[in-house]
Amino acid sequence: MEFVGYTLRNNLFVAPMAGVTDRPFRQLCKKLGAGLAVSEMVTSNSLLYGSKKTERRANHQGEVAPISVQIAGADPAMMAEAAKYNVDRGAQIIDINMGCPAKKVCNVMAGSALMQDEPLVARILEAVVKAVPDTPVTLKFRTGWNRQNKNAPIIARIAEESGIRAVAIHGRTRADQYTGDAEYETIALVKRQIAIPVIANGDITTPEKAKYVLDATGADGVMIGRAAQGRPWIFREIEHYLKTGEKLPPPKVSEIREILGEHLEDLYGFYGLETGVRVARKHISWYTKGLPGSAAFRFAMNQLPTVEEQRAAIAEFFDRLAAEHERLHYEEDSSGAVSGAADDNDKKEVLAA
């Protein structure tokens, strides 16, 4: 796919998710078939630039290009400075967050709260585009503030007129959070009204659903968020299905054990052992959700304090799985979609932008 001046492997995008789309996860998704992975959002507050969290989010060492960094905030000048700050540190695409529905973000009029103030949206977009004239700027937003105010078409036109190069739209309003089903009619309407690329997002959990959303919206690509948690190989499954019309068989247990092991080692190296163990727990939970015996395994895993104990427990769990089935076999959902779906507790700690 040709996208804002870059040639991507395909039209499959990893959605920015706070606490999830760190460098190890982005690299893994790209390796397993994603065309582009957008970073978790980086604050526009310059007072926080020196924090460990912000420094990690701005760390793109060894990452496959193009590097897309999402920034969040509500002040045009600060957003412009944040764009320049991240471009200076390797960002090749700047993405603006107007989709996050989290209260702590919306309460400071950032994220999807910005959709209530269209003139402010225009000022922010124009300021960021002007600040980094040689870097493409994209925008992610929702269908509206609530179901009575679906102003995505207006926001999209403002974006195009402001010099935004592409938009991604989540098929829910801010008021919807992640409840109910995503709708795609608004995305289709936006696609008909603007000339820049449109990426569709929301409830894309299977290869068949990806094709349906592309056909229903006419979108140029699809963006996958929560369905990739614990199932980063969903991108190669969708890629194969879109190319051939055929579904890949479930992956082998041995392969997923290797993928998870490499992912965890990257997390330990990226965060350090102490923090890495804590971060690893949620990923291990997502990888194993729905697999036979995983409930007891996940409970026990969350009590283990060291890297060595995590490694040993994973080896034992996957040895048992491999003895029973060559390929992944899910108890809750034979399609395997459950492994990539966040439950209610996950949603509290993971903010899909």
Side-chain angles (χ1 to χ4, degrees), residues 140-144 150-153 156 167-173 182-194 196-204 213-223:
K140 187 164 193 290
F141 56 106
R142 289 187 165 228
T143 55
K150 290 188 177 182
N151 61 339
V167 297
I169 308 173
H170 185 116
R172 289 182 174 88
T173 68
E183 58 92 0
Y184 308 110
E185 293 83 359
T186 303
I187 300 175
L189 176 61
V190 169
K191 175 58 186 172
R192 292 194 297 270
Q193 293 184 352
I194 62 175
I196 59 176
V198 175
I199 311 302
N201 175 227
D203 292 353
I204 300 170
V213 172
L214 286 169
D215 291 343
T217 62
D220 301 277
V222 289
M223 180 173 277

Side-chain angles (χ1 to χ4, degrees), residues 281-304 317 332 343 346:
R281 287 174 183 152
K282 62 187 174 187
H283 288 280
I284 295 167
S285 178
W286 291 328
Y287 272 89
T288 57
K289 184 179 179 182
L291 296 172
S294 65
F297 166 77
R298 293 199 307 274
F299 179 80
M301 173 61 67
N302 286 334
Q303 317 305 313
L304 302 180
F317 179 76
E332 298 174 35
D343 60 24
D346 295 332

Side-chain angles (χ1 to χ4, degrees), residues 122-342:
R123 292 198 299 275
I124 289 173
L125 301 187
E126 290 165 5
V128 172
V129 169
K130 184 178 180 181
V132 287
D134 298 323
T135 302
V137 181
T138 61
L139 173 67
K140 187 164 193 290
F141 56 106
R142 289 187 165 228
T143 55
W145 173 249
N146 56 34
R147 296 185 186 183
Q148 292 72 44
N149 296 280
K150 290 188 177 182
N151 61 339
I154 297 173
I155 298 294
R157 286 195 293 272
I158 291 172
E160 187 173 35
E161 292 168 0
S162 300
I164 295 297
R165 299 279 295 278
V167 297
I169 308 173
H170 185 116
R172 289 182 174 88
T173 68
R174 189 272 167 179
D176 290 330
Q177 298 276 324
Y178 300 103
T179 61
D181 296 325
E183 58 92 0
Y184 308 110
E185 293 83 359
T186 303
I187 300 175
L189 176 61
V190 169
K191 175 58 186 172
R192 292 194 297 270
Q193 293 184 352
I194 62 175
I196 59 176
V198 175
I199 311 302
N201 175 227
D203 292 353
I204 300 170
T205 56
T206 65
E208 296 93 331
K209 188 64 175 291
K211 185 178 188 309
Y212 168 79
V213 172
L214 286 169
D215 291 343
T217 62
D220 301 277
V222 289
M223 180 173 277
I224 294 96
R226 285 175 289 152
Q229 292 167 200
R231 189 183 162 200
W233 56 92
I234 189 175
F235 295 99
R236 75 179 183 195
E237 293 178 336
I238 294 174
E239 181 182 56
H240 182 81
Y241 185 80
L242 293 178
K243 285 182 178 179
T244 68
E246 299 175 353
K247 293 187 67 174
L248 288 172
K252 292 183 177 180
V253 172
S254 59
E255 183 195 13
I256 300 312
R257 174 180 175 171
E258 183 177 345
I259 288 172
L260 173 56
E262 291 179 358
H263 188 182
L264 297 185
E265 294 306 318
D266 283 347
L267 290 172
Y268 301 149
F270 186 67
Y271 288 99
L273 297 184
E274 183 177 349
T275 301
V277 165
R278 294 199 300 269
V279 173
R281 287 174 183 152
K282 62 187 174 187
H283 288 280
I284 295 167
S285 178
W286 291 328
Y287 272 89
T288 57
K289 184 179 179 182
L291 296 172
S294 65
F297 166 77
R298 293 199 307 274
F299 179 80
M301 173 61 67
N302 286 334
Q303 317 305 313
L304 302 180
T306 69
V307 166
E308 291 74 21
E309 288 172 298
Q310 279 190 346
R311 289 174 179 149
I314 290 166
E316 181 181 354
F317 179 76
F318 278 90
D319 281 345
R320 179 181 58 77
L321 283 184
E324 297 172 356
H325 299 279
E326 180 186 16
R327 297 184 180 275
L328 289 189
H329 172 77
Y330 293 92
E331 291 184 324
E332 298 174 35
D333 184 338
S334 60
S335 73
V338 67
S339 71

Side-chain angles (χ1 to χ4, degrees), residues 37-148:
V38 185
S39 78
E40 50 188 335
M41 58 186 177
V42 177
T43 180
S44 63
N45 186 344
S46 60
L47 297 176
L48 301 177
Y49 283 172
S51 71
K52 285 186 177 181
K53 179 184 289 187
T54 299
E55 286 182 355
R56 275 198 299 262
R57 291 183 176 184
N59 184 336
H60 312 289
Q61 186 175 355
E63 190 169 349
V64 176
I67 295 166
S68 178
V69 176
Q70 188 180 77
I71 59 174
D75 179 84
M78 291 176 68
M79 288 286 279
E81 287 301 314
K84 289 191 284 189
Y85 172 87
N86 284 283
V87 167
D88 288 343
R89 281 154 184 79
Q92 296 166 305
I93 300 171
I94 292 294
D95 186 59
I96 298 175
N97 181 326
M98 290 189 187
C100 181
K103 287 183 180 179
K104 67 180 181 180
V105 175
C106 289
N107 284 347
V108 293
M109 279 304 292
S112 54
L114 287 168
M115 296 187 71
Q116 296 175 100
D117 191 336
E118 292 159 7
L120 177 57
V121 168
R123 292 198 299 275
I124 289 173
L125 301 187
E126 290 165 5
V128 172
V129 169
K130 184 178 180 181
V132 287
D134 298 323
T135 302
V137 181
T138 61
L139 173 67
K140 187 164 193 290
F141 56 106
R142 289 187 165 228
T143 55
W145 173 249
N146 56 34
R147 296 185 186 183
Q148 292 72 44

